[in-house]
Amino acid sequence: DIQMTQSPSTLSASVGDRVTITCRASRSLGVWLAWYQQRPGKAPELLIYDASILEAGVPSRFSGSGSGTEFTLTISSLQPDDFATYYCQQYSDYSTFGQGTRVEIK
Amino acid sequence: QVQLQESGPGLVKPSETLSLTCTVSDYSISSDYYWGWIRQTPGKGLEWIASTYRSEITFYNPSLKSRLSMSVDTSKNQFSLNLGPVTAADTAIYHCARRRMSGSVFDYWGPGILVTVSS
C-alpha cells in the first residue's frame, strides 16, 4: 500500500492569505496525484489532477506542484469559500487518500 | 451535469451484507468512464473501495476484496455494491462517483449515504 501523509492537519488562516498544504507519499507516484476540496456535509470536489492540472471551472488561485513523493497545493489568496478540508489522492497504485487538512478561519 | 445518488439501508446488522445502489442521471454509465465507490469515516478518512467499467473490468481495494462485489445494470443506469459480512468498522458514509479512464480521479460524486453497522 502507498501511504499518503498530509501536513498540517489543521491550518488557521485569514482571507487573503497564501496557503500551502503538503502531501508526501511513501513511494514515488510520478505525477499521479490529485487534490480535492470538501465542505461540511458535501461530497469532495476535484480541484487538481496529474499533480498540477487545474480541473475545469476551478478558480486559478488554486495551483498544484510536485512529483515523485512530495506535492503541494497552494491557494494564492484565500477566499471565504475556501475554508474547507482538502485531501490528496494517489492513483499510481490503486488509490489512497491523505488524511485531510482542515483550513479554518484564524 | 452528471448526477449520482446513493440508495440503500441506513442500518445493517453485523455479519450481514451491505447492499448499496448508485443511480446516475443525465449521463450513460455505458460511456467511457469507470464508476466507483469511496467511503468516509472520521477515523480513517476517505477510503477507495472499488471501481468498475461496464462490469468488464473491476478493481477492488485489496484490503476489502474478499468481501466485495460490484455490478452494473445498464438498463436502469445504475451500479451496485455488495460488502459482507460487515462489522462495526464498516460504519461509514458511502459515496458513489465517476472515475476517469485515464487517471483514476473521481470527477463527479454522489452526496453520500450514512450506513451504520449495529445490532
Side-chain angles (χ1 to χ4, degrees):
Chain A
D1 279 16
I2 298 179
Q3 308 302 318
M4 306 300 296
T5 304
Q6 283 182 238
S7 60
S9 297
T10 306
L11 188 159
S12 298
S14 302
V15 172
D17 284 354
R18 181 181 181 87
V19 162
T20 298
I21 298 168
T22 298
C23 184
R24 290 187 174 86
S26 58
R27 65 174 194 259
S28 180
L29 307 179
V31 294
W32 306 130
L33 183 110
W35 291 96
Y36 297 82
Q37 177 193 66
Q38 186 175 32
R39 297 190 178 95
K42 302 291 187 183
E45 294 181 8
L46 179 64
L47 296 174
I48 286 167
Y49 62 96
D50 292 357
S52 62
I53 300 176
L54 199 65
E55 173 71 353
V58 174
S60 59
R61 62 180 180 272
F62 291 92
S63 64
S65 65
S67 65
T69 62
E70 187 154 333
F71 301 84
T72 58
L73 171 70
T74 299
I75 309 172
S76 61
S77 178
L78 201 63
Q79 298 302 300
D81 242 7
D82 302 338
F83 292 98
T85 300
Y86 294 84
Y87 295 92
C88 60
Q89 175 216 1
Q90 69 81 16
Y91 44 98
S92 171
D93 180 17
Y94 293 109
S95 180
T96 47
F97 292 84
Q99 81 279 15
T101 294
R102 181 169 167 250
V103 177
E104 63 179 25
I105 300 172
K106 194 172 188 179
Chain B
Q1 179 85 353
V2 183
Q3 294 186 64
L4 299 94
Q5 180 67 56
E6 305 85 356
S7 60
L11 181 64
V12 180
K13 289 183 169 53
S15 81
E16 294 188 345
T17 295
L18 179 164
S19 297
L20 297 175
T21 297
C22 182
T23 301
V24 180
S25 303
D26 301 322
Y27 199 85
S28 171
I29 64 168
S30 299
S31 300
D32 278 348
Y33 282 87
Y34 279 78
W35 302 90
W37 293 93
I38 303 105
R39 68 184 183 182
Q40 186 167 23
T41 62
K44 290 188 74 175
L46 291 163
E47 182 180 30
W48 168 71
I49 300 171
S51 302
T52 191
Y53 174 71
R54 303 180 187 176
S55 289
E56 295 170 8
I57 307 170
T58 302
F59 297 105
Y60 295 114
N61 185 321
S63 68
L64 300 170
K65 185 176 181 178
S66 63
R67 300 191 291 133
L68 275 176
S69 68
M70 273 192 75
S71 61
V72 174
D73 186 338
T74 54
S75 68
K76 295 181 179 178
N77 220 41
Q78 294 175 335
F79 59 100
S80 297
L81 173 75
N82 285 324
L83 172 67
V86 296
T87 69
D90 295 309
T91 294
I93 295 171
Y94 286 77
H95 295 276
C96 59
R98 188 180 81 169
R99 201 213 86 176
R100 291 180 180 162
M101 290 290 284
S102 58
S104 305
V105 295
F106 298 96
D107 58 2
Y108 286 93
W109 296 58
I113 182 171
L114 174 61
V115 179
T116 301
V117 178
S118 175
S119 55

